Amino acid sequence: MKHTKWTKADSHKAKQIWEAYQKQYDLSEHIGQTVGIDPKNSRIWFGNSIQAIVQQRDKEGLDSPLFFQRVGNETYFRKGGHK
């Protein structure tokens, strides 16, 4: 397994890919699902969880780092309590 250092440029590129994808496709059937975006080759995977996407990619023999997003949400996960 090859490890690649993730950069701010990778995050920026993944967000650009996701933004363009959302403009091109109807994602209504994917609302609430997880999307994994590979900024190196512009591929996108959908699944019910990060683990499901990783399993899909394992079957393809891929291990490049991904940017994860929840379809229909601005962020995948937000940590913090309410006061």
Side-chain angles (χ1 to χ4, degrees), residues 18-65:
W18 181 233
E19 186 176 320
Y21 191 91
Q22 290 178 88
K23 290 177 182 175
Q24 190 173 0
Y25 297 99
D26 175 15
L27 298 172
S28 57
E29 68 181 47
H30 294 289
I31 299 293
Q33 285 188 329
T34 299
V35 61
I37 306 150
D38 186 333
K40 302 295 185 205
N41 63 29
S42 300
R43 284 193 63 189
I44 292 179
W45 291 265
F46 291 96
N48 291 324
S49 66
I50 290 173
Q51 293 82 3
I53 291 171
V54 170
Q55 287 175 352
Q56 289 177 49
R57 287 174 33 93
D58 285 349
K59 289 178 184 176
E60 294 182 43
L62 302 172
D63 65 355
S64 57

Side-chain angles (χ1 to χ4, degrees), residues 65-83:
L66 296 179
F67 182 88
F68 292 100
Q69 187 78 33
R70 176 92 52 209
V71 180
N73 293 344
E74 239 178 87
T75 59
Y76 185 80
F77 178 76
R78 219 173 258 197
K79 184 177 179 180
H82 299 284
K83 289 187 176 188

